[in-house]
Amino acid sequence: MISFLNLKSLNSVMNEELLSACKRVVESGWYIAGNELLEFETAFADYCGTKHCIGVANGLDALTLTLRAWKELGKLKEGDEVIVPANTYIASVLAITENRLVPVLVEPDPQSYNLSPDAVRKAITSKTKAILPVHLYGQLADMPAILSIAEEHGLLVLEDSAQGHGASIGGRKAGSWGNASGFSFYPGKNLGALGDGGAITTNDDELAQTLLALRNYGSHERYKNIYQGVNSRLDEIQAAVLSVKLRYLDEHTRQRKAISNAYLKGITHKEIVLPLASSIDAELFESHVWHLFVVRSKHRDALQAHLTACGVQTLIHYPIPPSKQQAYPQFYEHSYPVAELIHKEVLSLPISPVMTEAEVIAVIDACNSFTVSDL
Ligand SMILES: *Cc1c(COP(=O)(O)O)cnc(C)c1O
């Protein structure tokens, strides 16, 4: 079986360095909020091109705490509307509702699967206070257009960069476009820890200070609490692991791009729709870091069964849109035809940076051998 993402062989590339990072932490006797965290935060801020990076426990907390910080700073209040893509992972929406803000789901561009700036404009009301673009599947959202809308209407921008580590346009990386950005270091992300992890990047000093307190019980100084904060920490072992893995990120991204290019050239089946450049700007496509290689087919379930029979593991990102989730009955009365169609048709092909050439060819052949009799 060609696995969807082989984390064991991916991490074994840097086995020695990971073990020695862990050993260093074990032997240091210091496990929370120490030098490993500071070093990783500095390196990751530097990588993204931002002034600050604040490590937290996971990607959901990174988004939730940023919105929370803006509430503490008086920039958002309960009931304010936040524009978010209708086809994102549920965490983007959870971060909004956890803060008692109102998510306004907006249909994606059907080619890039990312927020459509025109649809964002149409969704703006007097209550809109923020936009939460998601760099879905590893492709930057149309940030130049989104930033200009935000500027025009005085809106905050929080990037969900959980799938976009290192994606850039004109040298400006994911994480450095919005007023802030949330990252996830879940093991399967392009920069993944050996457990949970997350971070916020920003150039805003006041926001960074507020986040430092919020992640630490609302406290800058021990036993003095200015906010009703939470405990959301990126611990020393994960920070040490992430510092190692960050050094491999660009190389892994190059390997992901090479696999994607082979898929784009090799898969020629007419029932399989390949990822396309954004209809707005081909440069956005260049920025793709290929967290996922997502194809579409009207016969998605049959295609998935065929690929499984050929020994190719695939996944669906995502089978149920936020608007159809039991957790959010308020969306049931609305219709999101583009997002719903995407959820019915998408299928993610294997894309481990460590895949062999033979495996890549086997995936291409399996796709091209999908026949009508499989339907
Ligand atoms: C993974 C992911 C998250 C959440 O990250 P966790 O670390 O799992 O909490 C948020 N948004 C998107 C788009 C994601 O893919």
Side-chain angles (χ1 to χ4, degrees):
M1 193 76 174
I2 297 172
S3 62
F4 179 74
L5 172 63
N6 192 333
L7 285 175
K8 187 176 167 183
S9 52
L10 189 143
N11 287 325
S12 77
V13 171
M14 54 194 106
N15 194 38
E16 291 306 313
E17 285 164 275
L18 289 174
L19 290 176
S20 86
C22 292
K23 185 164 183 276
R24 187 172 70 236
V25 176
V26 169
E27 290 174 357
S28 74
W30 193 278
Y31 307 113
I32 297 261
N35 284 333
E36 300 287 351
L37 176 62
L38 280 176
E39 267 175 41
F40 173 69
E41 287 175 332
T42 306
F44 195 63
D46 190 47
Y47 179 83
C48 294
T50 58
K51 203 164 161 192
H52 304 281
C53 166
I54 299 103
V56 292
N58 54 64
L60 173 58
D61 280 4
L63 298 170
T64 307
L65 291 176
T66 303
L67 295 171
R68 172 76 194 280
W70 281 333
K71 284 175 77 186
E72 297 293 351
L73 292 168
K75 294 187 174 181
L76 291 178
K77 60 175 191 317
E78 242 181 82
D80 284 347
E81 292 177 0
V82 181
I83 290 173
V84 65
N87 61 322
T88 184
Y89 181 57
I90 200 69
S92 324
V93 186
L94 288 171
I96 297 169
T97 53
E98 174 66 24
N99 281 292
R100 297 176 176 277
L101 301 163
V102 178
V104 174
L105 303 184
V106 162
E107 290 266 70
D109 170 72
Q111 299 212 302
S112 68
Y113 308 127
N114 272 330
L115 259 189
S116 144
D118 282 342
V120 171
R121 270 183 204 285
K122 288 192 192 114
I124 292 174
T125 72
S126 58
K127 286 186 169 175
T128 310
K129 290 287 146 34
I131 310 175
L132 203 164
V134 180
H135 307 312
L136 200 68
Y137 305 150
Q139 181 173 210
L140 269 186
D142 190 347
M143 294 311 292
I146 289 167
L147 289 197
S148 78
I149 295 171
E151 200 169 318
E152 203 177 304
H153 295 269
L155 308 176
L156 294 162
V157 175
L158 172 57
E159 300 171 70
D160 181 340
S161 301
Q163 305 189 2
H165 314 75
S168 68
I169 314 176
R172 186 169 172 187
K173 288 202 174 86
S176 71
W177 289 86
N179 300 84
S181 171
F183 283 90
S184 165
F185 306 122
Y186 178 80
K189 306 290 179 173
N190 284 24
L191 177 60
L194 302 180
D196 273 314
I200 300 108
T201 55
T202 183
N203 289 318
D204 181 337
D205 297 340
E206 194 184 32
L207 175 67
Q209 285 304 312
T210 309
L211 285 165
L212 287 175
L214 282 176
R215 74 171 180 185
N216 182 41
Y217 307 104
S219 164
H220 284 297
E221 221 179 304
R222 210 172 222 193
Y223 307 128
K224 274 196 181 168
N225 302 82
I226 31 183
Y227 308 111
Q228 295 172 14
V230 299
N231 170 359
S232 182
R233 307 191 270 225
L234 181 63
D235 61 55
E236 290 288 281
I237 287 237
Q238 298 305 341
V241 161
L242 286 166
S243 290
V244 172
K245 294 195 70 175
L246 181 57
R247 296 199 285 273
Y248 287 84
L249 178 58
D250 286 343
E251 189 187 329
H252 284 170
T253 299
R254 277 194 292 279
Q255 285 154 339
R256 286 175 183 275
K257 282 187 180 173
I259 296 164
S260 302
N261 281 335
Y263 286 166
L264 288 170
K265 284 205 193 90
I267 300 171
T268 53
H269 200 294
K270 64 176 183 357
E271 294 291 343
I272 301 176
V273 181
L274 296 170
L276 274 178
S278 154
S279 50
I280 304 140
D281 187 348
E283 205 191 341
L284 291 171
F285 195 60
E286 284 301 303
S287 78
H288 213 313
V289 293
W290 299 103
H291 172 58
L292 298 170
F293 189 95
V294 177
V295 299
R296 268 167 69 192
S297 176
K298 282 197 214 54
H299 314 292
R300 191 263 312 275
D301 295 342
L303 176 63
Q304 184 171 39
H306 167 78
L307 292 174
T308 306
C310 294
V312 175
Q313 186 192 10
T314 57
L315 295 175
I316 295 169
H317 298 91
Y318 297 90
I320 306 171
S323 60
K324 297 276 189 202
Q325 295 290 352
Q326 197 182 333
Y328 289 114
Q330 66 264 46
F331 297 132
Y332 291 173
E333 64 193 76
H334 302 276
S335 107
Y336 304 95
V338 181
E340 283 161 23
L341 182 75
I342 289 171
H343 285 77
K344 280 194 196 108
E345 296 192 346
V346 288
L347 189 65
S348 307
L349 302 183
I351 187 151
S352 301
V354 289
M355 277 173 88
T356 64
E357 218 177 307
E359 286 175 324
V360 174
I361 291 168
V363 173
I364 293 170
D365 289 346
C367 287
N368 289 338
S369 70
F370 177 51
T371 59
V372 185
S373 65
D374 290 322
L375 302 180

